[in-house]
């Protein structure tokens, strides 16, 4: 759906391109008709108990404290899987293959189609190429070597999920973009033709060949600019093919609605669950690992025959919270093992087929912060330039 743009003011020239654009015109009219838009803002299925902005202000002193920075960084280089073009070119034998690229970026090859969730290939998740959270590991596969992507699916417009340079690079491939309501304003601002953008409200679907992509509820918030209007929606996603179903959580706090999503769209062969960047400062908008496991079970991720597998995402790539960088993986494995739930914690870039599972490999333990590193400066290992920063 094309969205008409508001007239530009002289101040627009001073607005960084990475901030994107606010919805307006026909797009804003559709937003106002959404049953999830009330009082001038999008609202959560279960409202947060505290405002994220106030929580962030309370967190900032902790974020910049030297001793806290140390434990949030690995002591050694994160092992990136040496995935090749050929690895991703061969069709998955089972019809479903998942490749975690780091953080929430996941390539899902499902029933003959390729869907890329929340691609962030830049060195920093920030409006600036020179400041903001920097990668703890390089992207394991160059964007140009991921192969043809049928659709890019975005969960919400935060910088660690919607990356302008990556979007612009993917735009040149002709791929389609499927996003929550309002997010299309950013994409059009960055030059994506309106005809290649599909915007969905919760429980709305679109078809992509044999796949059905459905936006489902999440408990989070939005915003990229200094003034957050809460006019873009956040979502989790269901991608269902003739034989396989995948769930991507986006960012979300735990809420009872996962059970309803499971009843309506599940069970799932794989759930890609946010388990990192949690904190007592914002308990309502990000899940802790044990909550991610609970959501996986609510979603019927453990499908009949115990084929459903849990993949922890949103950890290990950017320092966004006060917990140790490897803690989400450790806690997920512990909780899933106790519950008898199948899980996979691949190295960044390591493709695997959920039907086959993945052999246990506690690779994060080999690069975790050690005593010597705790006494050091805490600076992360140098990140590899990804060739996207210049696009900002």
């Amino acid at each position: 759906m094309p969205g008409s743009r508001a007239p530009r003011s002289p101040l627009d020239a001073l607005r960084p391109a990475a901030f994107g654009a606010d919805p307006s015109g026909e797009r804003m009219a559709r937003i106002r008709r959404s049953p999830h838009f009330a009082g001038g803002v999008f609202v959560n299925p279960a409202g947060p108990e505290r405002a994220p902005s106030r929580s962030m202000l309370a967190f900032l002193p902790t974020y910049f404290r030297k001793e806290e920075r140390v434990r949030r960084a690995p002591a050694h280089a994160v092992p990136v899987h040496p995935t090749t073009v050929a690895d991703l070119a061969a069709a998955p034998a089972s019809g479903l293959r998942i490749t975690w690229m780091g953080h929430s970026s996941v390539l899902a090859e499902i029933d003959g189609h390729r869907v890329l969730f929340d691609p962030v290939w830049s060195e920093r998740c920030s409006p600036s190429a020179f400041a903001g959270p920097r990668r703890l590991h390089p992207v394991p596969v160059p964007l140009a070597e991921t192969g043809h992507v049928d659709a890019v699916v975005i969960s919400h417009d935060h910088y660690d999920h919607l990356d302008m340079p990556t979007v612009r690079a993917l735009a040149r491939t002709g791929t389609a973009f499927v996003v929550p309501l309002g997010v299309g304003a950013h994409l059009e601002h960055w030059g994506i033709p309106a005809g290649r953008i599909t915007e969905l409200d919760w429980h709305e679907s679109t078809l992509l060949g044999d796949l059905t992509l459905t936006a489902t509820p999440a408990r989070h918030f939005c915003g990229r600019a200094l003034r957050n209007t809460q006019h873009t929606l956040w979502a989790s996603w269901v991608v269902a093919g003739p034989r396989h179903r995948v769930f991507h959580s986006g960012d979300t706090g735990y809420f009872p609605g996962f059970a309803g999503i499971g009843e309506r769209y599940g069970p799932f062969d794989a759930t890609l669950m946010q388990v990192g960047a949690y904190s007592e400062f914002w308990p309502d908008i990000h899940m802790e690992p044990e909550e991610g496991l609970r959501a996986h079970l609510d979603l019927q991720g453990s499908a009949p025959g115990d084929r459903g597998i849990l993949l922890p995402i949103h950890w290990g790539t950017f320092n966004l919270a006060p917990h140790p960088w490897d803690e989400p993986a450790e806690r997920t494995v512990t909780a899933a093992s106790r519950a008898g739930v199948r899980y996979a914690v691949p190295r960044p870039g390591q493709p695997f087929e959920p039907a086959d599972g993945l052999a246990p490999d506690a690779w994060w333990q080999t690069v975790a912060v050690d005593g010597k590193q705790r006494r050091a400066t805490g600076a992360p290992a140098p990140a590899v330039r990804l060739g996207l920063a210049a696009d900002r």
Side-chain angles (χ1 to χ4, degrees), residues 29-105:
R30 185 184 175 197
I31 287 171
R32 291 193 179 98
R33 293 193 297 268
S34 169
H36 311 110
F37 191 79
V41 297
F42 279 112
V43 295
N44 273 308
E49 298 174 2
R50 65 182 79 184
S53 58
R54 291 199 299 269
S55 301
M56 184 58 68
L57 290 175
F59 164 65
L60 285 177
T62 300
Y63 183 83
F64 290 108
R65 193 177 299 142
K66 178 180 176 181
E67 57 270 25
E68 294 293 333
R69 293 201 313 270
V70 170
R71 70 186 192 130
R72 296 201 315 271
H76 309 287
V78 172
V80 172
H81 189 76
T83 304
T84 66
V85 175
D87 293 331
L88 298 178
S94 67
L96 176 63
R97 181 166 58 207
I98 303 294
T99 306
W100 178 56
M101 299 294 185
H103 202 58
S104 292
S105 301

Side-chain angles (χ1 to χ4, degrees), residues 109-120:
E109 299 169 81
I110 175 170
D111 296 344
H113 300 277
R114 296 161 62 87
V115 177
L116 187 57
F117 292 98
D118 286 357
V120 177

Side-chain angles (χ1 to χ4, degrees), residues 63 123-135 318-320:
Y63 183 83
E123 185 176 353
R124 299 182 187 272
C125 57
S126 165
S128 169
F130 308 103
R134 188 181 182 187
R135 287 186 167 275
F318 298 109
N319 284 331
L320 302 176

